Amino acid sequence: MARQFFVGGNFKMNSSSEGIKKIISHLNDSKLDPKTEVVIAPPTLYLLLAREVAKAPIEVAAQNVFDKPNGAYTGEISVEHLKDAGISWTLLGHSERRVTLAEDDQFVASKTKAALDGGVGVIFCCGESLEQREANETVKVVTRQLAAVKEKVSDWSKLVIAYEPIWAIGTGKVASTEQAQEVHAAIREWLKKEVSEKAAEETRIIYGGSVSEKNCKDLSKKPDIDGFLVGGASLKPAFVDIVNSHL
Ligand code: G2H
């Protein structure tokens, strides 16, 4: 089964209600590759606005979700809230949360399980620091992050893996097509060995880290790169070119 190309836009903590309306209207009015799944992740406060403005088939993702059901958890957002609001995806494990907010592998895996069990798809981010890459630990780090998920999750069909080397995030330093392909292939190999042949064949593994309209075409040609998670460039009109990179 061919894997459907997947492009996510991670707005991070950027833009405004006006800005988000503009970005989404531009997407609505553009000719998007019908074969590519497009999911945008605005800041939490704008999830409902984004859901209202975005036209099908554009989907909306949260940037985070908590691992507990509704209750006394001030400041958190639940899987039930996302479903009630028509939000079908969430990002989890972004390095900006792993590093700045000290989210560890177990917590990220627990949130992944809660989202998937509740019927919300997960864009699961993993990736190594520059120090870890230089110590040749890339695959070890990424598979350790994934192994925590394997402990808790058995159905990988609503999970998209986003490989995002930390040294390439927002730095303009994109991984070379070979570097990205090498890690994606290693992740697929790990899925085959540790999860199942089916998960290895069907799980989308997307690349994130300074993806732009200039570098996306070459990356998209690699056999194990099934799409992108785009940060900075998702706030710009050129996001459309990235969505259409597989055409
Ligand atoms: C990586 C990516 C989106 P950017 O964080 O998740 O951001 O494209 O700005 O490097």
Side-chain angles (χ1 to χ4, degrees):
M1 192 191 82
R3 295 180 293 270
Q4 188 184 12
F5 207 68
F6 185 106
V7 177
N10 176 8
F11 296 179
K12 307 192 179 183
M13 199 174 74
N14 288 305
S15 202
S16 60
S17 49
E18 273 319 299
I20 282 165
K21 270 191 231 163
K22 252 196 216 152
I23 295 166
I24 301 177
S25 301
H26 180 68
L27 285 176
N28 286 340
D29 297 343
S30 300
K31 228 174 151 2
L32 303 180
D33 180 352
K35 292 205 205 96
T36 294
E37 192 167 358
V38 182
V39 179
I40 47 166
T44 310
L45 194 57
Y46 303 123
L47 281 170
L48 285 172
L49 171 72
R51 187 53 291 168
E52 201 182 295
V53 180
K55 289 197 188 135
I58 299 168
E59 289 291 337
V60 179
Q63 294 179 14
N64 183 38
V65 75
F66 201 43
D67 64 345
K68 304 279 187 297
N70 287 353
Y73 302 106
T74 304
E76 291 298 332
I77 177 165
S78 71
V79 174
E80 291 94 304
H81 290 153
L82 295 187
K83 287 208 328 205
D84 185 41
I87 308 302
S88 46
W89 288 91
T90 185
L91 304 183
L92 284 172
H94 194 284
S95 62
E96 284 152 15
R97 296 191 65 85
R98 288 182 190 264
V99 175
T100 317
L101 297 161
E103 291 195 0
D104 64 16
D105 293 346
Q106 276 61 42
F107 186 40
V108 176
S110 173
K111 295 199 286 184
T112 302
K113 177 182 166 44
L116 294 174
D117 285 354
V120 170
V122 174
I123 303 165
F124 176 88
C125 306
C126 56
E128 83 288 5
S129 66
L130 185 56
E131 214 181 12
Q132 290 163 331
R133 171 159 285 265
E134 285 171 348
N136 271 325
E137 286 178 350
T138 299
V139 174
K140 187 174 133 201
V141 170
V142 167
T143 54
R144 187 204 70 217
Q145 292 168 335
L146 287 163
V149 173
K150 186 198 141 188
E151 290 297 305
K152 295 186 160 62
V153 165
S154 50
D155 181 3
W156 289 61
S157 62
K158 280 279 282 170
L159 195 144
V160 169
I161 298 170
Y163 167 59
E164 301 205 320
I166 299 173
W167 48 272
I169 295 177
T171 56
K173 234 193 245 172
V174 68
S176 70
T177 50
E178 289 71 26
Q179 280 172 323
Q181 165 59 28
E182 198 183 8
V183 181
H184 284 227
I187 293 173
R188 208 172 296 291
E189 201 45 47
W190 178 88
L191 284 169
K192 192 171 166 187
K193 241 177 80 197
E194 300 292 331
V195 183
S196 66
E197 187 108 17
K198 181 176 156 65
E201 265 167 34
E202 296 180 1
T203 304
R204 270 87 58 89
I205 307 174
I206 63 176
Y207 170 79
S210 296
V211 173
S212 73
E213 71 282 11
K214 296 196 183 83
N215 55 36
C216 60
K217 263 253 178 266
D218 283 346
L219 285 160
S220 76
K221 287 182 193 140
K222 291 290 175 189
D224 289 297
I225 299 182
D226 305 313
F228 303 112
L229 184 57
V230 187
S234 69
L235 299 159
K236 301 180 189 149
F239 184 53
V240 170
D241 299 327
I242 302 173
V243 168
N244 290 339
S245 59
H246 212 223
L247 278 176

